[in-house]
């Protein structure tokens, strides 16, 4: 098996080396061709997708899985097709000059964006990811190895056949290598691919946190993504009650299964209307896992009654503040100051998205500066953490790592840069620091004037 | 041991959380204080450094190690001190707004640079790295854990005492936490620190490739640096002989132990004067490890005589093209086209720095685009790959990884970004895609007009 994985990775590396030299037009042209081919084969894909759905329904797996698997629910298939064209039409992320500097006369340094190289994308049940990732890889000049889950096997096989066929048919005319995207089926051991750290540059998992965690634990290749989305909202002493109620309800109930949903609510006990925030959440069907302190205070204020009483349960303090409920549940505790909230978040959050609700600008600025998460908000719902909402056009995923790219990641997260020097025979030995007497000029060049 | 490493990492995490909220002035002030304290203790440091040197001389280790260890050779100590002030005076790398976008009225997205968090810096014998890295960490708002090698133990201990003392004395006035920089001595097991991947965000090794390789193989924390520097120069068919001779001699002989020195020379056999390039290298004392094909061609042209004959040896083809000689040795082979050279480099180079010598612009552009290395040059010596030469002021190291930062890495490589949203109570549920009807505005804001 291992040699197969190595061969796949080598094929990708070679394809990537060619892909990175092609023009934006070449890369976009093949995406249009893939779009047309998938569109023309809609019936075949639908047939394959129905086989996958039938198999899943037989096993009695969850309806949410079926929903994710069904490529023909509503306008999902057409949206997928449109997505390929949208990516094709985006500005070229490759070959952009970030900065240029004259080192000396006729010796110029350029920092130019370039593809990362080879991406391994592992996903579970959403078959539209195949088209989505194919488009993102080719547009960004990266070779992609796509590994689908067993639930979507038939759909995957059918779409792989069409994409591979389109690549093969157009290799000569567009120059895009047939191995630019390799679609690997479930028989292949994913661990063999994850061990190809010399050839694969980045792993992008798309799926459950169990999947992401498993991948992170089993590879030396950098992983772009997030396992958990433990997002917190902190209601400051000087919060606006209307904002606090609206934000907490939206953050928790708009899409509880989303990674950007609120899982922890931190309350400043000096905020006079804090009980209203909790009773309002209870009215919206949220079960509040509260600390003893919060429970006592609710009781003391006579609020532990009716609907609220039904929705208040004891928090298991050792686990609930590190938990992604992904349901209409929320852990609640007091943090007596903004600093306490910051410290709680920096210890317990998954570095995804955290929010302060406050009218106190210094406290809010302190929060924005101190919280160590990819996305930090002041008076806005955590649910805004999303590539579409940020205006990135398309999204690779949301990253919670600390290097390379954080938060919603667009095409920019799939490129890196190279330094180019263009000279006319200069040698280091002529310059100060390497034995010579010449000094460097180090004069910035306006990138707008640069054409390479 | 492991709990100690965890405690050190936790201390760093907490210190980093505070450090990232401080102003540039606070961070620069403490660097000036450290500068002054080290300067005032010059005699104590020199005494400690002499102990280390005596110990090394006793073991009879290499003179190059002694050279690296000696902090008082020439103006090294003063240069180190000046370096602290230079870093302090650099523009603030933290809190820079990369872009700003209006999502809707009163709802604004900012991408703002922020520290990575906690850096673990492991180095071998150069004691000036202590001051250098202390300055870089504090300036970039990152907490640093510095782990020195046993050769520099006494110097390290003395400098650690001074830096720790300065941090402790000034914690109250500057706000910089005493654990902003922790200097860990050799007794601590480095593997325990390398296992703290939940708390440490980036490892920066400074030392031999054995050190880097060992670290890369023993941690899940991302590593910024390079193990090998296998740099190639390709002499194209239409090369200029003067440039080819100057560049190859500089790239190989200016500092053969440097990671940016040429280790492989690829020659287009159609370049008429190719033998002159080789005889010139031989005259400069370079031993040429040539393939059979090159040897035969040299013989055929009657060039395998005199000095050249003495300097030409048979390449061990299976290893010499993947080898970092770090000496006046170079592997030489023919590549009949620029594409062959590119393919050789993408297979064998360590993705550090590679150069094409050519007067053929299309070939050169192809090379710059296709070679998958951090630094790619056209008609300039590989020795220019260096932070000082690039004008970065200071350099963390040279990275050959494919994500985050490549090539010479300055302060910019020690920061990442966070997304901030500043709103006035907006919720996602009001907008298209999350249940509402409002559309996003997505209007770019000129960052020059932004003050946070």
């Amino acid at each position: 098996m291992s040699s197969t994985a190595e061969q796949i990775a080598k094929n990708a590396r070679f394809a990537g080396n060619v892909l990175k030299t092609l023009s934006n037009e070449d890369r976009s042209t093949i995406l249009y061709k893939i779009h047309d081919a998938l569109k023309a084969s809609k019936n075949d894909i639908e047939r394959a997708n129905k086989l996958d759905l039938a198999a899943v329904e037989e096993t009695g797996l969850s309806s949410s899985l079926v929903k994710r698997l069904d490529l023909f629910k509503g306008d999902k298939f057409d949206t997928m097709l449109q997505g390929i064209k949208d990516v094709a039409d985006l500005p070229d992320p490759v070959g952009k000059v970030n900065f240029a500097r004259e080192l000396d006369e006729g010796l110029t340094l350029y920092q130019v964006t370039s593809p990362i190289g080879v991406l391994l994308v592992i996903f579970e049940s959403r078959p539209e990811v195949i088209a989505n990732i194919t488009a993102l890889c080719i547009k960004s000049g990266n070779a992609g190895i796509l590994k689908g889950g067993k639930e979507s096997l038939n759909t995957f096989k059918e779409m792989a056949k069409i994409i591979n066929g389109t690549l093969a048919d157009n290799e000569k005319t567009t120059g895009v290598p047939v191995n630019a995207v390799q679609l690997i089926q479930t028989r292949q051991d994913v661990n063999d691919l994850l061990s190809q750290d010399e050839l694969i540059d980045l792993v992008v998992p798309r799926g459950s946190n169990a999947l992401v965690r498993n991948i992170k634990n089993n590879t030396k290749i950098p992983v772009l993504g997030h396992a958990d989305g433990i997002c917190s909202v902190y209601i400051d002493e000087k919060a606006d009650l209307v904002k606090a109620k609206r934000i907490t309800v939206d953050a928790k109930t708009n899409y509880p299964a989303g990674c950007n949903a609120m899982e922890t609510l931190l309350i400043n006990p000096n905020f006079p209307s804090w009980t209203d925030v909790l009773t309002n959440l209870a009215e919206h069907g949220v079960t509040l896992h509260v600390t003893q302190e919060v429970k006592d205070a609710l009781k003391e204020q006579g609020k532990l009654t009716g609907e609220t009483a039904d929705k208040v349960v004891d928090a298991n303090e050792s686990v609930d503040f590190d938990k992604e409920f992904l349901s209409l549940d929320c852990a609640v505790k007091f943090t007596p100051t903004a600093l306490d909230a910051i410290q709680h978040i920096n210890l317990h959050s998954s570095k995804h998205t955290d929010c302060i609700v406050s009218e106190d600008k210094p406290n809010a600025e302190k929060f924005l500066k101190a919280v160590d998460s990819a996305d930090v908000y002041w008076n806005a719902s955590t649910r805004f953490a999303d590539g579409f909402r940020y205006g990135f056009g398309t999204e690779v995923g949301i990253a919670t790592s600390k290097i390379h790219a954080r938060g919603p990641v667009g095409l920019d997260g799939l490129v890196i840069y190279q330094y180019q020097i263009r000279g006319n025979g200069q040698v280091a030995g002529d310059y100060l620091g390497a034995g010579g007497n010449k000094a460097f000029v180090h004069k910035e060049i306006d990138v707008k004037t640069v054409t390479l």
Side-chain angles (χ1 to χ4, degrees), chain A:
Chain A
M1 276 304 238
S2 160
S3 71
T4 317
E6 193 186 333
Q7 195 52 54
I8 291 165
K10 271 193 181 154
N11 290 346
R13 172 64 70 197
F14 283 119
N17 286 339
V18 176
L19 199 55
K20 86 191 277 274
T21 67
L22 300 180
S23 70
N24 185 42
E25 203 192 327
D26 290 333
R27 285 177 272 126
S28 300
T29 300
I30 192 75
L31 291 186
Y32 268 88
K33 290 192 186 289
I34 289 171
H35 166 275
D36 296 347
L38 289 171
K39 192 175 176 182
S41 302
K42 183 173 177 175
N43 292 342
D44 294 339
I45 299 169
E46 190 161 10
R47 217 169 6 247
N49 192 233
K50 285 213 188 316
L51 287 176
D52 286 332
L53 283 169
V56 163
E57 273 159 8
E58 221 166 81
T59 65
L61 281 171
S62 75
S63 65
S64 68
L65 176 62
V66 174
K67 213 192 278 176
R68 287 199 296 274
L69 201 52
D70 187 352
L71 188 55
F72 293 86
K73 199 181 141 71
D75 58 359
K76 220 159 135 189
F77 187 79
D78 295 330
T79 305
M80 176 190 87
L81 289 180
Q82 183 58 42
I84 301 174
K85 290 206 280 191
D86 288 348
V87 171
D89 293 343
L90 283 173
D92 189 4
V94 178
K96 209 162 63 183
V97 180
N98 292 330
F99 78 80
R101 180 175 292 159
E102 189 184 335
L103 302 185
D104 195 5
E105 209 193 310
L107 185 72
T108 314
L109 175 72
Y110 304 88
Q111 194 198 58
V112 185
T113 62
S114 60
I116 291 174
V118 177
L119 313 182
L120 169 61
V121 185
I122 299 172
F123 56 98
E124 287 177 326
S125 47
R126 299 178 187 273
E128 70 272 26
V129 171
I130 305 166
N132 190 1
I133 295 289
T134 295
L136 288 169
C137 282
I138 292 178
K139 182 72 185 186
S140 60
N142 289 290
I145 303 170
L146 274 63
K147 170 78 178 63
K150 65 174 186 308
E151 303 84 2
S152 56
L153 182 62
N154 289 292
T155 320
F156 185 91
K157 274 165 101 167
E158 189 60 36
M159 287 177 66
K161 198 178 79 187
I162 298 158
I163 293 173
N164 287 338
T166 311
L167 287 168
D169 291 348
N170 294 281
E171 188 168 12
K172 289 236 172 75
T173 52
T174 61
V176 175
V178 66
N179 287 324
V181 173
Q182 294 176 84
L183 299 120
I184 308 304
Q185 289 161 24
T186 40
R187 293 281 189 88
Q188 218 70 45
D189 190 352
V190 70
N191 284 325
D192 288 342
L193 285 166
L194 290 174
S195 69
Q196 299 299 322
D197 56 296
E198 294 285 328
L199 293 163
I200 298 173
D201 300 305
L202 191 67
V203 183
V204 184
R206 300 272 300 238
S208 67
N209 54 11
L211 174 84
V212 179
R213 216 181 290 276
N214 182 45
I215 287 169
K216 284 196 175 190
N217 287 331
N218 287 291
T219 187
K220 301 182 64 140
I221 308 169
V223 177
L224 183 86
H226 67 278
D228 295 312
I230 302 172
C231 303
S232 305
V233 175
Y234 164 63
I235 313 290
D236 199 21
E237 179 174 354
K238 290 183 183 135
D240 175 286
L241 178 60
V242 175
K243 292 177 190 170
K245 284 161 77 172
R246 276 169 53 80
I247 287 171
T248 50
V249 167
D250 185 81
K252 183 69 261 184
T253 72
N254 183 254
Y255 182 51
C259 60
N260 53 14
M262 170 178 79
E263 305 292 0
T264 296
L265 176 58
L266 303 172
I267 289 182
N268 189 311
N270 301 318
F271 172 50
S273 316
W274 70 268
T275 57
D276 292 355
V277 176
L278 293 190
T279 52
N280 182 57
L281 279 168
E283 281 161 23
H284 281 83
V286 178
T287 299
L288 304 161
H289 300 248
V290 306
T291 60
Q292 191 60 46
E293 204 185 358
V294 172
K295 196 175 178 182
D296 292 346
L298 277 170
K299 207 179 287 176
E300 208 180 287
Q301 299 205 19
K303 301 289 182 182
L304 210 53
T305 55
E307 203 158 3
T308 307
D310 294 342
K311 288 291 181 187
V312 168
V313 301
D314 291 330
N316 180 346
E317 291 196 39
S318 65
V319 298
D320 285 354
F321 292 97
D322 302 285
K323 195 167 176 174
E324 190 176 17
F325 292 99
L326 295 171
S327 56
L328 283 174
D329 291 80
C330 183
V332 184
K333 75 179 276 187
F334 285 144
T335 44
T337 67
L339 199 62
D340 292 317
I342 291 164
Q343 280 176 344
H344 176 93
I345 290 168
N346 282 346
L347 263 178
H348 295 275
S349 95
S350 62
K351 308 203 182 299
H352 191 296
T353 305
D354 301 283
C355 164
I356 179 171
V357 181
S358 180
E359 300 302 305
D360 181 334
K361 186 171 157 65
N363 266 7
E365 293 293 346
K366 195 193 289 170
F367 185 93
L368 293 176
K369 234 180 163 177
V371 167
D372 188 25
S373 301
D375 307 82
V376 282
Y377 294 174
W378 176 17
N379 287 342
S381 168
T382 54
R383 288 275 298 139
F384 284 111
D386 169 276
F388 166 72
R389 287 163 206 164
Y390 278 17
F392 293 168
T394 185
E395 180 188 289
V396 182
I398 294 187
T400 55
S401 48
K402 302 291 287 291
I403 61 163
H404 186 67
R406 300 180 86 186
V409 179
L411 271 178
D412 284 353
L414 297 185
V415 297
I416 181 69
Y417 54 77
Q418 292 181 285
Y419 289 105
Q420 297 184 351
I421 287 183
R422 289 143 193 265
N424 47 38
Q426 288 87 345
V427 296
D430 283 349
Y431 293 86
L432 285 166
N437 294 315
K438 291 180 88 171
F440 288 101
V441 170
H442 290 158
K443 194 176 129 198
E444 303 309 309
I445 299 168
D446 183 353
V447 293
K448 284 182 204 129
T449 67
V450 173
T451 30
L452 294 183

